[in-house]
């Protein structure tokens, strides 16, 4: 009798942030996918965060876009491709090549990006191709080009272990890039002299391990780093030999930094920090030999984002702390392939392979692609692109793997523009997004685990993303879809690709032709000649690549002091602090900051499918300081109505001192697909950095008032509800179904009738408990010994009961016990576990609190030993520390 072969673990990479973690996946016969970290991958060495661990749980069959659709009717691939090609051709023939556009995404693989850019810039002849990386990393790109002459990130992750001082600027690394933050914690444990400084207006999870937290006034990074440069000069802490030999523009830059002539005390006052803290930071930077400055969206997403980037780089260049072990300015990218997209020309102001639109470069790429219609000037950046759609200048757009109706600021305007656009194509792997709802043609693309290609992470490391599972429905690779449309448009010779390895070799060859004789580091060398089998086996490669590298290869750029400028010298850039054009006033007195939550990703189209990732923050929250809460008469768990000049949102209130007075905070993830009024992009107006085109997302003037519903409800069901018309509702995925949080203008009695009518289970067994005098109603419907549909309606509900109510679907008690618990006024027994704090190990607040009290736990290490909480990715450790403090208060 033959034995079944053992399914091997397949090496691939994570689909989320720019850390670029290696993943090993193993398909199971029941359709499940086992996930573990790849110990041999240099980015993560086997570690995965909560999102990475849950990758297999997001491969939902029911939420996939499986077939091509035109006007919401299923069609063949031939019909869909022909329609897209014909509509684009007709639009170009009538209105010219600049009447069409592509909007791409850091979720695309490099091969997809390359083919899309080649079609638009090379053969259609317009540079109207931009990417959602414009929203997160374009200020870094512009800062790199101004300082280094190219978009080249100098450092590598090994600098974390080598640094004496690590600075986080505008980055909650503990939540947004937790694997790198755990490396920082490990490095500090190995080297107690290593210091960590966090520069952020908020007290985030990253601050709990910091030696110094500078709660900087929102947006004043340039002022801080200009004053640092002046301090270093005044105290003879500059490297004048390095400045003289390897840089240019120092005198003008220092003069600009010194122009304000502020004392330490005056600077501290403007920055809203203490002079003692400010001097401590300056001395740490000046007296540390190896300084690593990691920065992210708090720097980039600003009307002065590029200047902020250069103010940081200026300090590193003036001290020679760049390109050496433990020393560099380090941009942490937000998406898995934001770097790869930048390499192949995904941004409208770049041609391809880091080439700009010079005559020489256009000729080089034109001849290489054999594309006589090649674009010769930059196209429209994201905000300008959608403005052009609204104005009727762009009449056809193809959106790939992104959700701009949620992610771009002033989303009402974006939706109106797309609704008005004569022809909208959307390629995606999911079936329900705010953007897909506006598409004329929907094209099913392969998702993570189905597609194959490469991505480049934040340290310039190219890794393979491999096919692990079979493709659902008729989904196709993005590069295939683009190539088929190109061929239908008559460009057969440029897009006759058989597989992704062929595209990768072409891209690698172009980098060699573009930069083989220059100082630019984007050279892929031997990768241009690898065989198909070598491509499929390819180990991670960190550019520049001369020869095929081993798995754990590490390298830095600019170690020799030679940069990618004409004279090989880095440029220091004179910058001055400029206040944002967005100003608070009497009507909108508060400045709303924004960012990510711990376990969610972008617009939640995938992470929201994993129940464990929805438990930590099940509703859109507004973090607000106690002083502001008191001023606006808001209590914990109230619902607040936030209003800006462009729109409104309803958010659950979370009162705490983590934010500064006057600077509330909320998360970016919610959309119309999972909430009625949680979409933060309705509030933001499109103020952009004039250099990078990146919109400001962190400083929206708003007003706040208490929203007072007449009734609230918790509802659980096996299938999503077809419609909900309450002013406030939020949909959360739970194990076995969905949970809804509802607030209504209806009385409890009328809301009870409304929800009962929504039930798809009108004919099955049900139990009810009604207390009209107490304005409280409960209903549960069961079938086959399972609760199918249930809700609680009351004037006011305790959000701490969310987890208990959701657990009804999965508790192992007898049905009669579950129904009895449902109809009671308080959670009972095992159903009272509480909110999940540790997503990796699924440990709840009650378990943790009990362990702390019963075992008299005083530190997180002991709590982790007892409960396993914090033993996964570690992103919950700050909350464990807070919980210990709370129990003993």
């Amino acid at each position: 009798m033959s034995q079944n072969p053992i399914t091997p673990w397949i090496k691939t990479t994570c689909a989320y942030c720019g850390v670029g973690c290696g993943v090993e996946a193993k398909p199971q016969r029941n359709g499940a996918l086992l996930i573990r970290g790849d110990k041999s991958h240099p980015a993560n060495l086997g570690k995965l965060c909560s999102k990475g661990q849950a990758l297999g749980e997001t491969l939902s069959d029911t939420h996939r876009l499986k077939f091509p659709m035109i006007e919401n009717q299923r069609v063949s691939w031939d019909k869909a491709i022909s329609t897209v090609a014909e509509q684009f051709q007709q639009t170009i023939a009538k209105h010219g090549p600049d009447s069409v556009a592509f909007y791409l995404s850091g979720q695309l693989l490099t091969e997809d990006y390359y083919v899309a850019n080649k079609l638009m810039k090379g053969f259609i002849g317009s540079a109207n191709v931009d990417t959602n990386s414009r929203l997160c990393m374009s200020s870094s790109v512009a800062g790199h080009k101004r300082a280094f002459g190219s978009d080249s990130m100098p450092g590598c992750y090994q600098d974390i272990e080598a640094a004496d001082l690590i600075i986080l600027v505008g980055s909650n690394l503990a939540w947004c890039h937790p694997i790198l933050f755990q490396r920082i914690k490990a490095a500090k444990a190995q080297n107690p002299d290593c210091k960590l400084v966090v520069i952020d207006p908020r007290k985030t999870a990253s601050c709990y391990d910091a030696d110094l937290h500078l709660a900087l006034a929102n947006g004043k990074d340039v002022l801080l780093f200009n004053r640092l440069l002046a301090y270093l000069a005044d105290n003879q802490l500059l490297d004048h030999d390095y400045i003289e030999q390897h840089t240019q523009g120092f005198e003008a830059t220092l003069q600009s930094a010194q122009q304000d002539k502020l004392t330490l005390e005056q600077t501290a006052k403007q920055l809203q920090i203490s002079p003692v803290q400010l001097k401590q930071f300056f001395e740490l930077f000046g007296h540390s030999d190896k300084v690593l400055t990691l920065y992210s969206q708090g720097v980039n997403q600003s009307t002065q984002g590029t200047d902020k980037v250069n103010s940081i780089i200026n300090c590193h260049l003036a001290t020679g702390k760049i390109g050496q072990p433990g020393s560099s300015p380090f941009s942490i990218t937000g998406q898995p392939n934001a770097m790869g997209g930048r390499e192949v020309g995904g941004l409208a102001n770049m041609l391809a392979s880091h080439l700009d639109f010079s005559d020489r470069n256009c000729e080089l790429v034109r001849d290489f692609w054999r594309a006589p219609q090649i674009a010769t000037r930059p196209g429209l950046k994201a905000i300008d692109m959608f403005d052009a759609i609204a104005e009727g200048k762009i009449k056809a757009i193809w959106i790939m793997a992104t959700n701009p109706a949620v992610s771009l600021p002033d989303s009402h305007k974006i939706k109106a523009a797309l609704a008005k656009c004569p022809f909208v194509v959307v390629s995606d792997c999911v079936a329900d997004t705010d953007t897909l709802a506006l598409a004329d043609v929907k094209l099913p693309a392969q998702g993570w685990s189905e597609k194959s290609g490469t991505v480049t992470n934040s340290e310039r490391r190219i890794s393979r993303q491999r096919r692990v599972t079979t493709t659902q429905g008729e989904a196709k690779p993005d590069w295939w879809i683009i190539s088929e449309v190109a061929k239908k448009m008559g460009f057969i010779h440029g897009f006759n690709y058989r597989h992704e390895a062929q595209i990768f070799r072409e891209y690698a060859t172009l980098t060699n032709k573009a930069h083989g004789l220059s100082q630019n580091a984007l050279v892929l060398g031997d990768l241009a000649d690898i065989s198909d089998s070598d491509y499929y086996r390819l180990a991670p490669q960190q550019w520049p690549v001369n020869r095929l590298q081993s798995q754990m290869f590490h390298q830095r750029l600019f170690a020799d002091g030679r940069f990618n400028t004409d004279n090989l010298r880095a440029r220091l850039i004179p910058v001055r602090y400029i206040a944002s054009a967005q100003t608070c006033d009497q009507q909108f007195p508060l400045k709303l900051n924004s960012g990510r939550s711990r376990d969610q990703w972008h617009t939640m189209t995938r992470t929201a499918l994993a129940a464990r990732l929805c438990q930590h923050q099940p509703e859109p929250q507004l973090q607000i300081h106690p002083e502001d809460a008191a001023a606006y008469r808001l209590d914990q768990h109230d619902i607040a109505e936030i209003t800006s000049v462009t729109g409104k949102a309803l958010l659950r209130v979370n009162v705490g001192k983590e934010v500064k007075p006057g600077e509330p905070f909320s998360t970016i993830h919610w959309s119309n697909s999972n909430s009625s009024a949680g979409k933060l992009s309705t509030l933001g107006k499109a103020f952009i950095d004039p250099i990078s085109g990146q919109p400001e997302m962190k400083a929206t003037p708003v007003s706040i008032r208490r929203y007072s519903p007449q009734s609230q409800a918790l509802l659980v069901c096996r299938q999503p509800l077809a419609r909900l018309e309450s002013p406030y509702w939020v949909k959360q995925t739970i194990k076995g179904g969905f949970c809804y949080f509802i607030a209504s203008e209806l009385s409890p009695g009328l809301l009870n009738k409304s929800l009962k009518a929504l039930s798809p289970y009108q004919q099955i067994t049900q139990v009810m408990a009604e207390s009209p005098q107490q304005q409280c109603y409960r209903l549960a419907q069961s079938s086959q010994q399972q609760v199918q549909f249930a809700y609680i309606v009351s004037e006011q509900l305790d959000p701490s009961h969310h987890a208990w109510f959701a657990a009804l679907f999965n508790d192992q008690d007898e049905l009669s016990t579950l129904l009895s618990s449902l109809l009671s006024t308080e959670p009972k027994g095992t159903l009272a576990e509480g909110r999940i704090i540790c997503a990796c190990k699924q440990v709840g607040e009650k378990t943790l609190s009990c362990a702390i009290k019963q075992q008299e736990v005083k530190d997180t290490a002991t709590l982790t030993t007892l409960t396993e909480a914090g033993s996964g990715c570690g992103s919950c450790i700050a909350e464990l520390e807070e919980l210990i403090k709370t129990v003993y208060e």
Side-chain angles (χ1 to χ4, degrees):
M1 182 176 177
S2 62
Q3 294 184 346
N4 293 323
I6 298 174
T7 304
W9 289 92
I10 300 171
K11 291 182 182 294
T12 183
T13 51
C14 184
Y16 298 120
C17 77
V19 174
C21 292
V23 171
E24 292 184 334
K26 180 186 285 192
Q28 302 296 288
R29 288 185 176 180
N30 63 0
L33 190 64
L34 296 182
I35 297 292
R36 70 185 186 190
D38 180 358
K39 294 181 179 179
S40 67
H41 198 287
N44 59 314
L45 305 174
K47 297 286 187 180
L48 289 178
C49 75
S50 59
K51 294 185 288 293
Q53 293 177 48
L55 277 165
E57 299 164 39
T58 65
L59 307 181
S60 168
D61 178 70
T62 57
H63 295 83
R64 284 298 301 274
L65 180 62
K66 297 180 181 179
F67 307 102
M69 310 279 283
I70 297 179
E71 301 297 341
N72 292 319
Q73 298 297 314
R74 179 177 171 180
V75 297
S76 67
W77 266 114
D78 184 65
K79 174 65 175 175
I81 287 168
S82 296
T83 299
V84 174
E86 289 167 7
Q87 288 290 334
F88 268 75
Q89 283 179 308
Q90 291 171 13
T91 303
I92 293 165
K94 188 173 182 180
H95 303 285
D98 287 334
S99 66
V100 300
F102 290 171
Y103 188 61
L104 312 179
S105 165
Q107 301 296 303
L108 294 174
L109 303 182
T110 299
E111 293 77 3
D112 306 323
Y113 252 128
Y114 178 85
V115 174
N117 186 58
K118 181 179 179 181
L119 172 57
M120 179 57 76
K121 290 176 183 165
F123 288 80
I124 291 176
S126 170
N128 286 345
V129 51
D130 211 42
T131 165
N132 61 10
S133 296
R134 179 71 60 190
L135 310 182
C136 56
M137 301 315 303
S138 55
S139 292
S140 283
V141 174
H144 289 163
K145 290 189 67 179
R146 291 206 298 184
F148 309 142
S150 65
D151 178 19
S152 302
M153 209 293 299
C156 62
Y157 294 159
Q158 278 198 324
D159 289 324
I160 292 173
E161 286 78 22
D164 299 324
L165 172 64
I166 300 173
I167 306 169
L168 302 184
V169 191
S171 168
N172 183 11
L173 205 72
W175 276 19
C176 301
H177 302 90
I179 300 307
L180 293 186
F181 192 74
Q182 292 310 305
R183 287 185 71 157
I184 291 175
K185 291 185 66 172
K188 281 175 63 62
Q190 285 292 108
N191 177 17
D193 292 331
C194 177
K195 302 298 182 184
L196 173 64
V197 175
V198 176
I199 301 172
D200 197 307
R202 295 189 298 138
K203 182 181 179 182
T204 68
S206 302
C207 297
Y208 285 84
D209 291 279
D211 299 283
L212 177 64
H213 172 213
L214 298 183
L216 202 68
N218 188 307
K220 294 192 175 181
D221 307 71
V222 170
L223 184 61
L224 172 68
F225 284 96
N226 266 1
R227 190 66 185 85
L228 170 61
L229 183 61
Y231 177 90
L232 296 172
D234 292 343
N235 290 273
Q236 293 76 51
L237 294 170
L238 300 177
D239 188 336
H240 289 285
D241 288 341
Y242 189 91
I243 292 169
E244 183 177 345
Q245 295 174 25
H246 302 299
T247 75
Q248 57 189 316
F250 169 73
E251 294 298 336
T253 300
L254 180 59
Q255 184 178 1
S256 179
Q258 293 174 328
Q259 207 161 351
D260 291 323
K261 296 182 179 177
L262 297 175
T263 65
L264 191 80
E265 289 72 18
Q266 290 170 330
T267 305
K269 185 176 182 180
Q270 284 203 18
L271 297 174
Q272 297 179 13
I273 58 179
S274 76
V276 173
Q277 287 182 311
L278 186 60
K279 187 176 182 182
Q280 184 182 355
F281 170 59
F282 288 171
E283 290 181 343
L284 280 170
F285 193 104
H287 293 285
S288 298
D289 292 332
K290 301 174 182 179
V291 179
L292 181 66
T293 303
L294 302 161
Y295 63 91
S296 193
Q297 310 311 346
V299 170
N300 295 312
Q301 288 182 337
S302 165
T303 53
Q304 204 184 6
T306 306
D307 284 352
K308 290 180 180 180
V309 170
N310 284 117
S311 71
I312 293 169
I313 294 174
N314 286 342
C315 294
H316 277 269
L317 288 173
T319 53
K321 295 170 181 175
I322 185 166
Q324 303 300 321
S327 286
S328 271
F330 201 129
S331 166
I332 301 296
T333 49
Q335 295 190 82
N337 203 29
M339 185 77 82
R342 287 148 58 178
E343 292 164 13
V344 298
L347 293 168
N349 53 307
M350 298 299 293
L351 182 55
S353 299
H354 284 184
L355 296 174
D356 58 21
F357 284 90
S358 70
D359 291 343
R360 174 194 171 277
N361 292 341
C362 288
E363 181 181 356
L364 184 155
V365 179
R366 181 197 66 201
D367 293 347
F368 182 77
W369 281 345
R370 293 187 293 155
Q373 302 299 321
I374 194 165
T376 56
R377 66 182 189 277
L380 295 175
K381 299 169 185 174
I383 299 299
D384 295 333
M385 180 184 290
F386 282 87
D387 283 346
I389 297 170
E391 294 163 6
K393 296 176 182 176
I394 289 178
K395 301 179 183 299
I397 185 168
W398 188 348
I399 299 166
M400 305 179 198
T402 187
N403 194 8
V406 179
S407 57
L408 283 169
D410 201 354
S411 59
H412 291 310
K413 181 179 178 179
I414 302 302
K415 290 183 71 171
L418 290 174
K420 179 183 175 183
C421 187
F423 189 61
V424 177
V425 183
V426 178
S427 306
D428 213 325
C429 61
V430 293
D432 181 20
T433 74
D434 292 18
T435 303
L436 268 170
L438 300 163
D440 299 296
V441 178
K442 302 176 182 178
L443 303 176
Q446 288 180 339
W448 181 88
S449 83
E450 299 168 350
K451 58 187 179 180
S452 171
T454 58
V455 294
T456 308
N457 73 356
S458 294
E459 62 167 354
R460 313 181 317 280
R461 194 175 301 279
I462 298 169
S463 297
R464 287 279 285 113
Q465 199 170 103
R466 292 179 171 88
R467 183 181 177 94
V468 177
T469 61
T470 57
T471 299
Q472 296 190 34
E474 295 179 2
K476 297 289 186 180
D478 287 279
W479 66 262
W480 181 90
I481 301 171
I482 300 160
S483 297
E484 291 302 305
V485 169
K487 287 189 279 188
K488 284 284 186 181
M489 293 179 72
F491 308 130
I492 297 175
H493 76 273
F495 298 88
N496 201 21
Y497 300 114
R498 300 185 308 278
H499 46 69
E500 59 273 12
Q502 185 180 359
I503 302 168
F504 181 82
R505 284 194 294 268
E506 181 180 315
Y507 153 58
T509 301
L510 178 56
T511 68
N512 295 342
K513 286 184 177 295
H515 306 301
L517 299 177
S518 74
Q519 185 69 16
N520 193 302
L522 182 56
V523 175
L524 299 186
D526 285 354
L527 297 182
D529 300 315
I530 60 173
S531 66
D532 292 351
S533 58
D534 286 340
Y535 173 83
Y536 289 116
R537 291 193 300 266
L538 188 66
Q541 306 288 303
Q542 188 184 38
W543 61 261
V545 178
N546 294 313
R547 298 178 180 176
L548 207 61
Q549 299 166 358
S550 64
Q551 186 90 358
M552 288 294 181
F553 187 84
H554 304 274
Q555 62 181 330
R556 298 169 182 86
L557 301 182
F558 315 135
D560 58 358
R562 293 162 62 88
F563 296 85
N564 299 332
T565 59
D566 291 340
N567 61 5
L568 304 184
R569 291 172 176 267
R571 307 185 192 104
L572 284 92
I573 306 296
V575 293
R576 295 289 306 280
Y577 166 66
I578 302 171
S580 171
Q582 299 195 84
T583 57
C584 295
D585 54 26
Q586 189 172 359
Q587 184 179 5
F588 302 112
L590 303 175
K591 185 179 291 186
L592 180 66
N593 194 352
S594 69
R596 303 181 186 227
S597 62
R598 192 188 72 189
D599 299 328
Q600 293 297 343
W601 175 252
H602 282 199
T603 63
M604 294 169 61
T605 54
R606 289 176 300 170
T607 48
L609 303 177
R612 74 156 108 169
L613 299 181
C614 297
Q615 296 168 315
H616 183 247
Q617 286 189 7
E619 295 179 83
Q621 287 190 359
L622 179 75
Q623 283 188 303
I624 187 169
H625 191 275
E627 291 179 14
D628 293 330
Y632 294 97
R633 299 180 180 179
L634 293 169
D635 293 323
Q636 186 77 350
H637 303 317
D638 278 349
I639 297 173
E641 180 182 88
I642 297 87
T643 304
S644 75
V645 71
T646 60
K648 293 183 178 181
L650 294 173
L651 309 173
R652 187 73 71 176
V653 171
N654 182 11
V655 181
K657 294 183 178 180
E658 293 82 7
V659 295
K660 299 164 75 78
E663 297 184 5
F665 172 87
S666 189
T667 51
I668 62 173
H669 308 290
W670 300 88
S671 71
N672 295 144
S673 301
N674 49 37
S675 70
S676 60
K679 186 159 73 171
L680 214 62
S681 57
T682 61
L683 303 174
K685 202 171 181 181
F687 288 84
I688 62 171
D689 180 314
I691 301 167
S692 69
Q694 183 159 349
E696 186 162 74
M697 313 280 267
K698 306 283 188 182
T700 304
V702 297
S703 63
I704 296 177
R705 72 176 184 90
R706 188 174 186 271
Y707 172 68
S708 301
Q710 297 300 306
S711 58
Q712 296 191 47
L714 279 172
L715 184 150
V716 289
C717 52
R718 294 288 170 187
Q719 300 298 325
L721 298 179
R723 68 187 188 283
L724 259 178
E725 297 179 357
S726 295
Y728 180 92
W729 62 263
V730 175
K731 180 177 73 172
Q732 174 200 5
T733 301
I734 59 176
K735 189 176 180 181
F738 303 90
C739 181
Y740 288 83
F741 315 115
I742 302 164
S744 174
E745 305 289 350
L746 300 174
S747 68
L750 289 177
L751 181 58
N752 172 49
K753 291 180 181 179
S754 174
L755 296 181
K756 191 184 302 183
L758 287 178
S759 171
Y761 308 105
Q762 299 294 336
Q763 306 301 318
I764 64 177
T765 303
Q766 67 181 29
V767 295
M768 297 179 61
E770 298 186 355
S771 303
Q773 296 83 5
Q774 298 179 355
Q775 295 290 289
C776 187
Y777 302 84
R778 289 173 167 78
L779 176 141
Q781 296 174 324
S782 63
S783 176
Q784 298 178 342
Q785 290 298 302
Q786 278 191 324
V787 175
Q788 301 292 328
F789 180 90
Y791 61 74
I792 302 175
V793 174
S794 185
E795 288 182 325
Q796 189 73 30
L797 290 176
D798 184 350
S800 66
H801 291 186
H802 290 184
W804 152 64
F805 202 66
L808 283 166
F809 273 179
N810 305 295
D811 196 270
Q812 299 302 310
D813 287 347
E814 291 291 329
L815 181 64
S816 59
T817 304
L818 296 180
L819 297 179
S820 174
S821 178
L822 168 69
L823 299 180
S824 71
T825 57
E826 292 291 335
K828 294 181 178 178
T830 59
L831 297 182
E833 170 62 22
R835 183 173 69 96
I836 296 296
I837 300 294
C838 177
C840 297
K841 301 299 181 181
Q842 290 290 282
V843 186
E845 192 170 11
K846 179 183 175 182
T847 298
L848 294 164
S849 296
C850 288
I852 293 167
K853 293 174 183 176
Q854 293 172 5
Q855 302 295 325
E856 297 184 353
V857 174
K858 299 294 178 67
D859 60 85
T860 56
T862 303
L863 188 59
T864 297
T865 300
L866 291 171
T867 65
E868 292 193 315
S871 63
C873 72
S875 60
C876 65
I877 288 176
E879 288 173 270
L880 301 183
E881 293 180 4
E882 277 296 302
L883 194 59
I884 293 171
K885 291 179 185 177
T886 302
V887 168
Y888 286 105
E889 283 180 354

